Amino acid sequence: MTAHVDDLVGRALHASDSRPVGKITAVYHYPTELAAPAGAVAIAVGLLRRTHLVDLENAEVVDGLLTVPHDRNTITSAPSFTPMVGDTLSQGHAMKVREHYWGASQPV
């Protein structure tokens, strides 16, 4: 992914089928001890603006669209932790996000 972190907030996040899922409200880093290759974004979804965390591994920015390799159902069932303070997820939160998207067998 080649977009600058500050450029992501306010953008729409697109699912693997290229349809928009929600608007990015925050960008988070993973703790360094996890050695995860990307980070996660918080997105607001639906009329009630539910917030979900989306892992950015293998995300692509093409023609200004940020697309992740996950379907809408996976994204909208993702963990949500509120309130979030700072720009780095706790190790526990980060592990739950990584496990949701990549499974327990996925190395983090």
PDB file of all heavy atoms in Angstrom, residues 27-50:
ATOM      1  N   VAL A  27      -6.571   5.776  11.785  1.00  0.00           N
ATOM      2  CA  VAL A  27      -5.563   4.817  11.345  1.00  0.00           C
ATOM      3  C   VAL A  27      -4.751   4.412  12.572  1.00  0.00           C
ATOM      4  O   VAL A  27      -4.355   5.257  13.373  1.00  0.00           O
ATOM      5  CB  VAL A  27      -4.622   5.437  10.287  1.00  0.00           C
ATOM      6  CG1 VAL A  27      -3.564   4.441   9.849  1.00  0.00           C
ATOM      7  CG2 VAL A  27      -5.425   5.932   9.086  1.00  0.00           C
ATOM      8  N   TYR A  28      -4.520   3.108  12.716  1.00  0.00           N
ATOM      9  CA  TYR A  28      -3.785   2.578  13.866  1.00  0.00           C
ATOM     10  C   TYR A  28      -2.608   1.733  13.408  1.00  0.00           C
ATOM     11  O   TYR A  28      -2.689   1.038  12.402  1.00  0.00           O
ATOM     12  CB  TYR A  28      -4.699   1.715  14.739  1.00  0.00           C
ATOM     13  CG  TYR A  28      -5.847   2.495  15.318  1.00  0.00           C
ATOM     14  CD1 TYR A  28      -7.116   2.404  14.770  1.00  0.00           C
ATOM     15  CD2 TYR A  28      -5.658   3.343  16.406  1.00  0.00           C
ATOM     16  CE1 TYR A  28      -8.173   3.138  15.282  1.00  0.00           C
ATOM     17  CE2 TYR A  28      -6.701   4.083  16.922  1.00  0.00           C
ATOM     18  CZ  TYR A  28      -7.957   3.974  16.362  1.00  0.00           C
ATOM     19  OH  TYR A  28      -9.002   4.706  16.872  1.00  0.00           O
ATOM     20  N   HIS A  29      -1.558   1.762  14.192  1.00  0.00           N
ATOM     21  CA  HIS A  29      -0.391   0.911  13.984  1.00  0.00           C
ATOM     22  C   HIS A  29      -0.544  -0.309  14.871  1.00  0.00           C
ATOM     23  O   HIS A  29      -1.228  -0.269  15.890  1.00  0.00           O
ATOM     24  CB  HIS A  29       0.900   1.645  14.364  1.00  0.00           C
ATOM     25  CG  HIS A  29       1.096   2.912  13.614  1.00  0.00           C
ATOM     26  ND1 HIS A  29       1.550   2.951  12.319  1.00  0.00           N
ATOM     27  CD2 HIS A  29       0.877   4.193  13.982  1.00  0.00           C
ATOM     28  CE1 HIS A  29       1.617   4.207  11.919  1.00  0.00           C
ATOM     29  NE2 HIS A  29       1.206   4.974  12.905  1.00  0.00           N
ATOM     30  N   TYR A  30       0.131  -1.390  14.492  1.00  0.00           N
ATOM     31  CA  TYR A  30       0.220  -2.546  15.370  1.00  0.00           C
ATOM     32  C   TYR A  30       1.426  -2.358  16.287  1.00  0.00           C
ATOM     33  O   TYR A  30       2.398  -1.698  15.906  1.00  0.00           O
ATOM     34  CB  TYR A  30       0.385  -3.833  14.559  1.00  0.00           C
ATOM     35  CG  TYR A  30      -0.877  -4.266  13.859  1.00  0.00           C
ATOM     36  CD1 TYR A  30      -0.898  -4.472  12.489  1.00  0.00           C
ATOM     37  CD2 TYR A  30      -2.052  -4.486  14.570  1.00  0.00           C
ATOM     38  CE1 TYR A  30      -2.054  -4.881  11.843  1.00  0.00           C
ATOM     39  CE2 TYR A  30      -3.211  -4.896  13.934  1.00  0.00           C
ATOM     40  CZ  TYR A  30      -3.205  -5.091  12.570  1.00  0.00           C
ATOM     41  OH  TYR A  30      -4.355  -5.496  11.946  1.00  0.00           O
ATOM     42  N   PRO A  31       1.390  -2.950  17.482  1.00  0.00           N
ATOM     43  CA  PRO A  31       2.568  -2.871  18.356  1.00  0.00           C
ATOM     44  C   PRO A  31       3.781  -3.487  17.651  1.00  0.00           C
ATOM     45  O   PRO A  31       3.644  -4.475  16.921  1.00  0.00           O
ATOM     46  CB  PRO A  31       2.169  -3.718  19.566  1.00  0.00           C
ATOM     47  CG  PRO A  31       0.682  -3.833  19.512  1.00  0.00           C
ATOM     48  CD  PRO A  31       0.303  -3.716  18.073  1.00  0.00           C
ATOM     49  N   THR A  32       4.936  -2.926  17.859  1.00  0.00           N
ATOM     50  CA  THR A  32       6.131  -3.395  17.163  1.00  0.00           C
ATOM     51  C   THR A  32       6.455  -4.850  17.468  1.00  0.00           C
ATOM     52  O   THR A  32       6.986  -5.555  16.613  1.00  0.00           O
ATOM     53  CB  THR A  32       7.353  -2.522  17.498  1.00  0.00           C
ATOM     54  OG1 THR A  32       7.516  -2.480  18.918  1.00  0.00           O
ATOM     55  CG2 THR A  32       7.189  -1.118  16.961  1.00  0.00           C
ATOM     56  N   GLU A  33       6.115  -5.334  18.652  1.00  0.00           N
ATOM     57  CA  GLU A  33       6.442  -6.723  18.998  1.00  0.00           C
ATOM     58  C   GLU A  33       5.659  -7.736  18.165  1.00  0.00           C
ATOM     59  O   GLU A  33       6.030  -8.900  18.091  1.00  0.00           O
ATOM     60  CB  GLU A  33       6.256  -7.004  20.500  1.00  0.00           C
ATOM     61  CG  GLU A  33       4.885  -6.738  21.038  1.00  0.00           C
ATOM     62  CD  GLU A  33       4.703  -5.316  21.577  1.00  0.00           C
ATOM     63  OE1 GLU A  33       5.552  -4.451  21.323  1.00  0.00           O
ATOM     64  OE2 GLU A  33       3.683  -5.080  22.237  1.00  0.00           O
ATOM     65  N   LEU A  34       4.576  -7.326  17.510  1.00  0.00           N
ATOM     66  CA  LEU A  34       3.836  -8.254  16.658  1.00  0.00           C
ATOM     67  C   LEU A  34       4.477  -8.396  15.286  1.00  0.00           C
ATOM     68  O   LEU A  34       4.203  -9.354  14.570  1.00  0.00           O
ATOM     69  CB  LEU A  34       2.384  -7.808  16.478  1.00  0.00           C
ATOM     70  CG  LEU A  34       1.484  -7.933  17.693  1.00  0.00           C
ATOM     71  CD1 LEU A  34       0.061  -7.542  17.336  1.00  0.00           C
ATOM     72  CD2 LEU A  34       1.513  -9.332  18.258  1.00  0.00           C
ATOM     73  N   ALA A  35       5.274  -7.435  14.881  1.00  0.00           N
ATOM     74  CA  ALA A  35       5.920  -7.449  13.569  1.00  0.00           C
ATOM     75  C   ALA A  35       4.911  -7.662  12.441  1.00  0.00           C
ATOM     76  O   ALA A  35       5.188  -8.329  11.462  1.00  0.00           O
ATOM     77  CB  ALA A  35       7.017  -8.516  13.515  1.00  0.00           C
ATOM     78  N   ALA A  36       3.707  -7.108  12.588  1.00  0.00           N
ATOM     79  CA  ALA A  36       2.687  -7.190  11.537  1.00  0.00           C
ATOM     80  C   ALA A  36       3.060  -6.211  10.436  1.00  0.00           C
ATOM     81  O   ALA A  36       3.538  -5.108  10.715  1.00  0.00           O
ATOM     82  CB  ALA A  36       1.310  -6.879  12.103  1.00  0.00           C
ATOM     83  N   PRO A  37       2.868  -6.582   9.191  1.00  0.00           N
ATOM     84  CA  PRO A  37       3.373  -5.781   8.073  1.00  0.00           C
ATOM     85  C   PRO A  37       2.633  -4.478   7.804  1.00  0.00           C
ATOM     86  O   PRO A  37       3.161  -3.610   7.143  1.00  0.00           O
ATOM     87  CB  PRO A  37       3.217  -6.720   6.877  1.00  0.00           C
ATOM     88  CG  PRO A  37       2.114  -7.641   7.264  1.00  0.00           C
ATOM     89  CD  PRO A  37       2.229  -7.803   8.754  1.00  0.00           C
ATOM     90  N   ALA A  38       1.428  -4.337   8.277  1.00  0.00           N
ATOM     91  CA  ALA A  38       0.660  -3.130   7.964  1.00  0.00           C
ATOM     92  C   ALA A  38       0.098  -2.559   9.260  1.00  0.00           C
ATOM     93  O   ALA A  38       0.713  -2.646  10.296  1.00  0.00           O
ATOM     94  CB  ALA A  38      -0.451  -3.467   6.973  1.00  0.00           C
ATOM     95  N   GLY A  39      -1.068  -2.028   9.200  1.00  0.00           N
ATOM     96  CA  GLY A  39      -1.766  -1.516  10.362  1.00  0.00           C
ATOM     97  C   GLY A  39      -3.237  -1.827  10.200  1.00  0.00           C
ATOM     98  O   GLY A  39      -3.611  -2.747   9.477  1.00  0.00           O
ATOM     99  N   ALA A  40      -4.058  -1.030  10.842  1.00  0.00           N
ATOM    100  CA  ALA A  40      -5.504  -1.205  10.749  1.00  0.00           C
ATOM    101  C   ALA A  40      -6.146   0.165  10.687  1.00  0.00           C
ATOM    102  O   ALA A  40      -5.571   1.151  11.137  1.00  0.00           O
ATOM    103  CB  ALA A  40      -6.024  -1.981  11.953  1.00  0.00           C
ATOM    104  N   VAL A  41      -7.322   0.205  10.097  1.00  0.00           N
ATOM    105  CA  VAL A  41      -8.093   1.439  10.075  1.00  0.00           C
ATOM    106  C   VAL A  41      -9.430   1.193  10.757  1.00  0.00           C
ATOM    107  O   VAL A  41      -9.942   0.076  10.755  1.00  0.00           O
ATOM    108  CB  VAL A  41      -8.334   1.976   8.640  1.00  0.00           C
ATOM    109  CG1 VAL A  41      -7.039   2.435   8.014  1.00  0.00           C
ATOM    110  CG2 VAL A  41      -9.040   0.969   7.762  1.00  0.00           C
ATOM    111  N   ALA A  42      -9.962   2.240  11.346  1.00  0.00           N
ATOM    112  CA  ALA A  42     -11.325   2.193  11.877  1.00  0.00           C
ATOM    113  C   ALA A  42     -12.221   2.772  10.796  1.00  0.00           C
ATOM    114  O   ALA A  42     -11.894   3.796  10.184  1.00  0.00           O
ATOM    115  CB  ALA A  42     -11.434   3.021  13.155  1.00  0.00           C
ATOM    116  N   ILE A  43     -13.334   2.089  10.532  1.00  0.00           N
ATOM    117  CA  ILE A  43     -14.283   2.619   9.555  1.00  0.00           C
ATOM    118  C   ILE A  43     -15.654   2.730  10.195  1.00  0.00           C
ATOM    119  O   ILE A  43     -16.019   1.925  11.052  1.00  0.00           O
ATOM    120  CB  ILE A  43     -14.371   1.764   8.274  1.00  0.00           C
ATOM    121  CG1 ILE A  43     -14.871   0.350   8.565  1.00  0.00           C
ATOM    122  CG2 ILE A  43     -13.063   1.747   7.529  1.00  0.00           C
ATOM    123  CD1 ILE A  43     -15.316  -0.406   7.342  1.00  0.00           C
ATOM    124  N   ALA A  44     -16.392   3.742   9.792  1.00  0.00           N
ATOM    125  CA  ALA A  44     -17.773   3.926  10.224  1.00  0.00           C
ATOM    126  C   ALA A  44     -18.670   3.340   9.147  1.00  0.00           C
ATOM    127  O   ALA A  44     -18.517   3.655   7.968  1.00  0.00           O
ATOM    128  CB  ALA A  44     -18.070   5.403  10.435  1.00  0.00           C
ATOM    129  N   VAL A  45     -19.604   2.464   9.564  1.00  0.00           N
ATOM    130  CA  VAL A  45     -20.447   1.730   8.623  1.00  0.00           C
ATOM    131  C   VAL A  45     -21.920   1.963   8.944  1.00  0.00           C
ATOM    132  O   VAL A  45     -22.326   1.902  10.101  1.00  0.00           O
ATOM    133  CB  VAL A  45     -20.154   0.216   8.698  1.00  0.00           C
ATOM    134  CG1 VAL A  45     -21.051  -0.564   7.753  1.00  0.00           C
ATOM    135  CG2 VAL A  45     -18.692  -0.069   8.387  1.00  0.00           C
ATOM    136  N   GLY A  46     -22.715   2.192   7.919  1.00  0.00           N
ATOM    137  CA  GLY A  46     -24.163   2.247   8.062  1.00  0.00           C
ATOM    138  C   GLY A  46     -24.687   3.532   8.659  1.00  0.00           C
ATOM    139  O   GLY A  46     -23.942   4.433   9.018  1.00  0.00           O
ATOM    140  N   LEU A  47     -26.008   3.585   8.768  1.00  0.00           N
ATOM    141  CA  LEU A  47     -26.673   4.779   9.290  1.00  0.00           C
ATOM    142  C   LEU A  47     -26.329   5.053  10.743  1.00  0.00           C
ATOM    143  O   LEU A  47     -26.277   6.198  11.172  1.00  0.00           O
ATOM    144  CB  LEU A  47     -28.187   4.648   9.134  1.00  0.00           C
ATOM    145  CG  LEU A  47     -28.699   4.599   7.694  1.00  0.00           C
ATOM    146  CD1 LEU A  47     -30.198   4.336   7.674  1.00  0.00           C
ATOM    147  CD2 LEU A  47     -28.367   5.883   6.971  1.00  0.00           C
ATOM    148  N   LEU A  48     -26.108   3.986  11.515  1.00  0.00           N
ATOM    149  CA  LEU A  48     -25.770   4.148  12.926  1.00  0.00           C
ATOM    150  C   LEU A  48     -24.286   4.391  13.152  1.00  0.00           C
ATOM    151  O   LEU A  48     -23.847   4.590  14.267  1.00  0.00           O
ATOM    152  CB  LEU A  48     -26.228   2.926  13.729  1.00  0.00           C
ATOM    153  CG  LEU A  48     -27.725   2.662  13.694  1.00  0.00           C
ATOM    154  CD1 LEU A  48     -28.062   1.391  14.459  1.00  0.00           C
ATOM    155  CD2 LEU A  48     -28.489   3.847  14.251  1.00  0.00           C
ATOM    156  N   ARG A  49     -23.509   4.364  12.052  1.00  0.00           N
ATOM    157  CA  ARG A  49     -22.079   4.640  12.062  1.00  0.00           C
ATOM    158  C   ARG A  49     -21.324   3.723  13.022  1.00  0.00           C
ATOM    159  O   ARG A  49     -20.481   4.152  13.790  1.00  0.00           O
ATOM    160  CB  ARG A  49     -21.795   6.113  12.404  1.00  0.00           C
ATOM    161  CG  ARG A  49     -22.557   7.141  11.586  1.00  0.00           C
ATOM    162  CD  ARG A  49     -22.521   6.942  10.117  1.00  0.00           C
ATOM    163  NE  ARG A  49     -21.221   7.205   9.510  1.00  0.00           N
ATOM    164  CZ  ARG A  49     -20.907   6.856   8.280  1.00  0.00           C
ATOM    165  NH1 ARG A  49     -21.772   6.229   7.534  1.00  0.00           N
ATOM    166  NH2 ARG A  49     -19.739   7.113   7.800  1.00  0.00           N
ATOM    167  N   ARG A  50     -21.648   2.420  12.967  1.00  0.00           N
ATOM    168  CA  ARG A  50     -20.900   1.441  13.758  1.00  0.00           C
ATOM    169  C   ARG A  50     -19.456   1.449  13.293  1.00  0.00           C
ATOM    170  O   ARG A  50     -19.173   1.561  12.109  1.00  0.00           O
ATOM    171  CB  ARG A  50     -21.489   0.050  13.574  1.00  0.00           C
ATOM    172  CG  ARG A  50     -22.828  -0.086  14.263  1.00  0.00           C
ATOM    173  CD  ARG A  50     -23.221  -1.504  14.522  1.00  0.00           C
ATOM    174  NE  ARG A  50     -22.198  -2.176  15.320  1.00  0.00           N
ATOM    175  CZ  ARG A  50     -21.990  -3.473  15.291  1.00  0.00           C
ATOM    176  NH1 ARG A  50     -22.708  -4.252  14.523  1.00  0.00           N
ATOM    177  NH2 ARG A  50     -21.065  -4.013  16.034  1.00  0.00           N
TER     178      ARG A  50
END
